[in-house]
Amino acid sequence: MSKIKPSKGAPYARIMGVGGYRPTRIVPNEVILETIDSSDEWIRSRSGIATRHWANDEETVTAMSVEAAGKAIADAGLTPEQIGGVIVSTVSHFKQTPAVATEIADRIGATRPAAFDISAGCAGFGYGLTLAKGMVVEGSAEYVLVIGVERLSDLTDLEDRATAFLFGDGAGAVVVGPAKEPRIGPTVWGSEGDKSETIKQTVPWTDYRDGAVERFPAITQEGQAVFRWAVFEMAKVAQQALDAAGITADELDVFIPHQANMRIIDSMVKTLKLPEHVTVARDVETTGNTSAASIPLAMERLLATGQAKSGDTALVIGFGAGLVYAATVVTLP
């Protein structure tokens, strides 16, 4: 017989609060068109994006995260001292170590929480949410802060016609805590590393350091390959998440997919046969693709504008570089 005592966590976990931060500078398509040969009509028809937010020098990954975190903690009715874990998903924090989560934890006033970063691209929020749920249920933390944050303007090649118009900056955060009944469903997640070349950094940092290339590394992608994968394969994953949660599309109130592209979102809605009563997040139009931040930012806006309400059942799915994905059904805070 094992001498190890069982964990004493909560029976289930839930999202208790949500917060977001969008940089003050709003960048319309006209600015993007200064460096690429395209048109506003082309950008809107291909992506649905009209504007995006770009951070200024003061709006660092840490600063944006602190703002979003503060709102999420307040929305949850907690104090920073109660936060026992901080998980940050980002690909645009340029210090390899220490984890930016430790600095954010200190800045918000959390008391010695577990703090670490993850790199799962546009699926990062789903990965972080799943890890936080495990921490709460396992009992290693009662309340966990999950942050998705990006400054993708730092990794955007403004002369790349395929990607220059896509990316934006921002931070979204949620607090995960104990629940007496299931409020975060089983996660359907995974990776397809054989497709890693479809979304990637152009060159390693060492190539730039060693002078092998003159241009700073940027994010690039094979647009058509990503579109086909997202529409056909991710719709299947979304359906698997519904099945795992034991609900049907008719029982959904809200659909919050990664805000990558309006055409991808609309195609997924059609493939999933979502009924008209389901509210669909289309934050990409004014925020652009903010990778790990896109789902919590979209969630925060839907709740703030009244398009979604507390207690609604929402399907969330993130997908991106890796290629990686994560989908689950949640009850909105």
Side-chain angles (χ1 to χ4, degrees), residues 44-59:
R44 289 174 185 258
S45 65
R46 294 300 190 281
S47 68
I49 298 172
T51 62
R52 72 285 292 148
H53 294 253
W54 281 356
N56 60 32
D57 290 344
E58 288 73 38
E59 292 167 322

Side-chain angles (χ1 to χ4, degrees), residues 15 23 28 45 72 106 155 176 208 210 216 233 246-247 264 304:
I15 297 176
S45 65
D106 179 64
L155 286 168
V176 177
Y208 182 72
D210 298 339
F216 192 74
E233 297 304 319
I247 69 170
I264 290 175

Side-chain angles (χ1 to χ4, degrees), residues 10-65:
Y12 304 104
R14 64 185 172 121
I15 297 176
M16 299 178 61
V18 60
Y21 180 83
R22 300 163 195 269
T24 55
R25 182 188 178 192
I26 299 174
V27 180
N29 288 337
E30 286 72 20
V31 172
I32 308 299
L33 295 175
E34 294 174 2
T35 51
I36 61 171
D37 180 16
S38 188
S39 68
D40 178 66
E41 180 184 4
W42 188 91
I43 293 173
R44 289 174 185 258
S45 65
R46 294 300 190 281
S47 68
I49 298 172
T51 62
R52 72 285 292 148
H53 294 253
W54 281 356
N56 60 32
D57 290 344
E58 288 73 38
E59 292 167 322
T60 62
V61 165
T62 299
M64 293 190 293
S65 296

Side-chain angles (χ1 to χ4, degrees), residues 18 33 36 38 68 76-77 80 83 115 139 149 162 166 185 192 194 198 201 204 223 267 270 298 327:
V18 60
L33 295 175
I36 61 171
S38 188
I83 300 299
V149 57
L166 285 176
E192 297 184 35
D194 60 314
T198 55
Q201 184 172 303
S267 295
K270 183 177 181 180

Side-chain angles (χ1 to χ4, degrees), residues 205-213:
W205 301 115
T206 49
D207 282 10
Y208 182 72
R209 180 199 66 188
D210 298 339
V213 295

Side-chain angles (χ1 to χ4, degrees), residues 91 119-123 127 190-201 220 226 229 319-325:
V91 299
S119 176
C122 304
Y127 274 55
S191 64
E192 297 184 35
D194 60 314
K195 299 180 179 65
S196 62
E197 292 294 302
T198 55
I199 306 174
K200 64 179 182 179
Q201 184 172 303
T220 186
V226 172
W229 177 77
F319 45 85
L323 294 169
V324 293
Y325 55 87

